[in-house]
Amino acid sequence: MSRHTIETPVADYAGTVAGVRFTAGRGETDDENAVAYFQRQGYTVTQVEDDGEPDEPAVDDPPGDGAPVVEAPVDTAPAEPDGTKRTSRRTPAK
């Protein structure tokens, strides 16, 4: 998705419009629906130059430091065999 800089008609506006946070009349978004809204409403919309690097690594990429990912073992209680009664549950008195 391409990133866009949005400038409000009011130069010092600070607030949120269409999910985009503005400070001093400027905000950024990659939401194409928000971009279309701002264009219809007369905001100045400028596409940000792409520097060629993705913002986030792809899901299949290894961690950046090259260290292998080691998952810690999960402590789980042993399962009860079928047919055994639980002795920790109290039975109501009659």
Side-chain angles (χ1 to χ4, degrees), residues 33-68:
N33 291 325
V35 170
Y37 169 80
F38 292 125
Q39 289 173 333
R40 286 192 309 268
Q41 299 303 317
Y43 289 68
T44 303
V45 178
T46 309
Q47 187 169 355
V48 176
E49 292 291 324
D50 188 15
D51 59 2
E53 293 185 24
D55 292 337
E56 297 179 15
V59 175
D60 295 336
D61 288 350
D65 61 1

Side-chain angles (χ1 to χ4, degrees), residues 2-6 28-29 46-51:
S2 58
R3 194 120 180 105
H4 292 83
T5 299
I6 315 296
E28 286 192 0
T29 186
T46 309
Q47 187 169 355
V48 176
E49 292 291 324
D50 188 15
D51 59 2

Side-chain angles (χ1 to χ4, degrees), residues 3-90:
R3 194 120 180 105
H4 292 83
T5 299
I6 315 296
E7 294 181 35
T8 63
V10 179
D12 60 346
Y13 176 76
T16 303
V17 177
V20 177
R21 177 79 179 130
F22 288 92
T23 304
R26 295 180 61 111
E28 286 192 0
T29 186
D30 58 358
D31 181 353
E32 295 300 323
N33 291 325
V35 170
Y37 169 80
F38 292 125
Q39 289 173 333
R40 286 192 309 268
Q41 299 303 317
Y43 289 68
T44 303
V45 178
T46 309
Q47 187 169 355
V48 176
E49 292 291 324
D50 188 15
D51 59 2
E53 293 185 24
D55 292 337
E56 297 179 15
V59 175
D60 295 336
D61 288 350
D65 61 1
V69 176
V70 178
E71 293 185 19
V74 178
D75 292 334
T76 57
E80 294 180 25
D82 290 336
T84 59
K85 289 187 176 183
R86 298 177 74 179
T87 57
S88 63
R89 185 175 286 168
R90 301 180 107 205

